[in-house]
Amino acid sequence: MFHYENDRLFVEGVAVAAIAKAYGTPLFVYSRAKIESNYREYAAGFGQRAHEICYAVKANGNLAILDVLARLGSAFDIVSGGELERVRAAGGELNTVTFAGVGKSRAEIDLALAAGIGCFNIESAFELDLVSAAAVAGGCEAPVALRVNPDVDANTHPYISTGMSENKFGIPMTEAVALYRHAATLPGVRVTGVACHIGSQLTSIAPIVDAAGRVMTLVEQLAADGIDVEHIDIGGGLGIAYGTTPPPRIADYVAAICRAIPEPYRIIIEPGRSIVGDAGVLLTRIQQVKTTPAKSFAICDAAMTELIRPALYQAVHPILPERRDGVVRRVDVVGPVCETADFLGRDRDLVVDSGSLLAVADCGAYAAAMASNYNARPRPAEVLVDGADVHVCRERESVSALFAGEHRLP
């Protein structure tokens, strides 16, 4: 969906240069065709096996993207009340929503109960009792799964590892059976499943298969206690290539999960990055090329405020020049923010000139969703390309909007 024609970069049927001219930079650009293709690969992998694909809204909660996925039949994985409202606004089916997250508030729980969501993934004994009390007060029943921590190393960046014993997430396996017994006695609660999630940007199938095996051992222990579950939520986390060694294919990942979790259990997965990550680019225009005795810098109008992943995770994103015909120079691609950590890529060989365009690839996930207003920078616009059409799915933020809710002293 991102390709060159006559040495000019295109997104589906539209030239990147034309998009930048019409909508300015910095700019997030998404491909509808790529999002749909990624989702359909998951659906095809499951075939007739009972399953639910819950898109992880935290990866990118833009209403247009949620709308595209809802039309495909996607369910949704949320971690806040705000994300629930995004799913509602995008036309998603609220009874398909799985509510994860380690710090749900009573107000968020009440909101989710009123919406009739599909399941709460419970993170602690305290949260289980809180959900029970909220359900009783609301005169309803809360479907729950306990999120267990299988103590499996996902072999990923420590900041996005969630399945180790030292992480804040989930219930230790050694405590899970006792807490399930407690759940079975609580009013307002109906146990429906077991959940786990070991981390993000997985590049190997082995850790997820290991986690699934440990979860199935727990399921067998629960069955012996007379506690039967309907579904196994194995989480998400499948990575994308980011220009390096590719992770497993979606089809192989799904097949491995289906082998590890026997029928008749319904499988729930929560992919985010692998659906939208490679479906987006960040367009940026070079303000100047600055050369020092040490190196050259392509100083752009995009920054760590738009894409914090290189600074936060030491992530490496491919960077594509809008045009390939020109003199190649080795540069650090940096932004104007007053931090040395403000870089988009280091030591890249690119066609760069003042005023030329670059497209930072694989920015569909955890880019716009993590954008900030540091240095009083308005967040960029977002557009969705659909064939030859371009749809604005988020207006560019104005400077005045940044302090519209602030007040001077009297």
Side-chain angles (χ1 to χ4, degrees):
M1 288 61 176
F2 302 92
H3 63 282
Y4 284 94
E5 295 182 17
N6 299 319
D7 286 326
R8 294 296 186 269
L9 184 62
F10 277 67
V11 180
E12 297 193 23
V14 186
V16 159
I19 297 173
K21 182 178 180 180
Y23 302 102
T25 57
L27 181 72
F28 287 107
V29 183
Y30 308 120
S31 163
R32 178 176 184 172
K34 186 60 177 169
I35 295 168
E36 293 182 336
S37 173
N38 290 338
Y39 179 87
R40 288 184 172 126
E41 192 172 347
Y42 272 106
F46 279 107
Q48 298 303 309
R49 178 67 192 270
H51 72 280
E52 197 161 57
I53 303 167
C54 292
Y55 168 71
V57 176
K58 61 181 174 288
N60 189 324
N62 186 283
L63 295 189
I65 289 175
L66 300 184
D67 180 23
V68 167
L69 291 167
R71 294 180 192 215
L72 292 171
S74 179
F76 297 94
D77 161 57
I78 65 167
V79 294
S80 73
E83 289 186 351
L84 177 60
E85 291 305 303
R86 281 191 168 274
V87 173
R88 192 197 306 271
E93 296 290 339
L94 300 186
N95 61 2
T96 71
V97 168
T98 294
F99 194 170
V102 74
K104 305 175 188 70
S105 70
R106 175 61 187 263
E108 289 176 318
I109 292 168
D110 288 341
L111 181 70
L113 286 170
I117 69 164
C119 190
F120 290 87
N121 283 355
I122 301 296
E123 294 268 359
S124 67
F126 174 86
E127 184 181 286
L128 178 61
D129 290 339
L130 186 63
V131 169
S132 172
V136 169
C140 59
E141 185 178 63
V144 303
L146 303 192
R147 176 180 174 175
V148 296
N149 187 321
D151 196 22
V152 170
D153 187 355
N155 298 312
T156 187
H157 192 284
Y159 289 2
I160 52 177
S161 172
T162 61
M164 296 289 288
S165 59
E166 62 264 30
N167 299 139
K168 69 180 180 180
F169 300 96
I171 295 154
M173 278 290 195
T174 54
E175 301 173 13
V177 172
L179 194 55
Y180 266 103
R181 289 172 181 157
H182 177 58
T185 69
L186 286 176
V189 165
R190 178 170 59 90
V191 173
T192 61
V194 179
C196 81
H197 177 67
I198 62 172
S200 187
Q201 187 51 23
L202 302 179
T203 56
S204 169
I205 289 175
I208 201 75
V209 172
D210 186 2
R214 300 186 191 200
V215 167
M216 290 312 303
T217 298
L218 171 63
V219 169
E220 292 168 4
Q221 293 173 322
L222 295 176
D225 262 16
I227 301 173
D228 295 318
V229 300
E230 303 163 6
H231 75 260
I232 310 296
D233 184 340
I234 201 65
L238 182 63
I240 61 175
Y242 289 116
T244 57
T245 303
R249 295 187 312 125
I250 290 174
D252 294 336
Y253 176 80
V254 171
I257 291 172
C258 289
R259 287 193 298 269
I261 300 173
E263 295 189 88
Y265 298 106
R266 181 167 56 96
I267 298 172
I268 296 178
I269 59 169
E270 301 165 356
R273 186 193 318 266
S274 54
I275 288 181
V276 297
D278 61 359
V281 298
L282 171 61
L283 287 190
T284 180
R285 192 173 296 278
I286 299 172
Q287 305 301 293
Q288 61 170 299
V289 179
K290 177 181 177 179
T291 300
T292 72
K295 58 171 53 183
S296 294
F297 300 90
I299 302 174
C300 302
D301 59 4
M304 65 187 293
T305 43
E306 287 71 51
L307 180 63
I308 199 172
R309 296 190 71 257
L312 183 61
Y313 301 128
Q314 297 78 51
V316 177
H317 285 253
I319 299 178
L320 309 173
E322 182 273 325
R323 58 183 180 84
R324 293 192 298 189
D325 55 335
V327 178
V328 174
R329 304 169 69 174
R330 173 157 291 190
V331 295
D332 281 8
V333 180
V334 301
V337 164
C338 294
E339 300 284 346
T340 302
D342 178 30
F343 65 92
L344 304 177
R346 286 176 166 153
D347 294 321
R348 305 298 180 91
D349 295 323
L350 298 166
V351 176
V352 293
D353 288 300
S354 297
S356 62
L357 292 166
L358 299 174
V360 186
D362 298 332
C363 284
Y366 304 107
M370 299 176 76
S372 76
N373 296 125
Y374 185 46
N375 284 191
R377 289 172 56 83
R379 286 175 295 176
E382 299 171 61
V383 300
L384 181 73
V385 178
D386 183 6
D389 298 321
V390 182
H391 303 278
V392 176
C393 50
R394 181 186 175 94
E395 302 285 348
R396 188 174 302 279
E397 202 169 28
S398 67
V399 173
S400 61
L402 301 187
F403 48 83
E406 300 176 31
H407 304 282
R408 295 176 61 188
L409 294 178

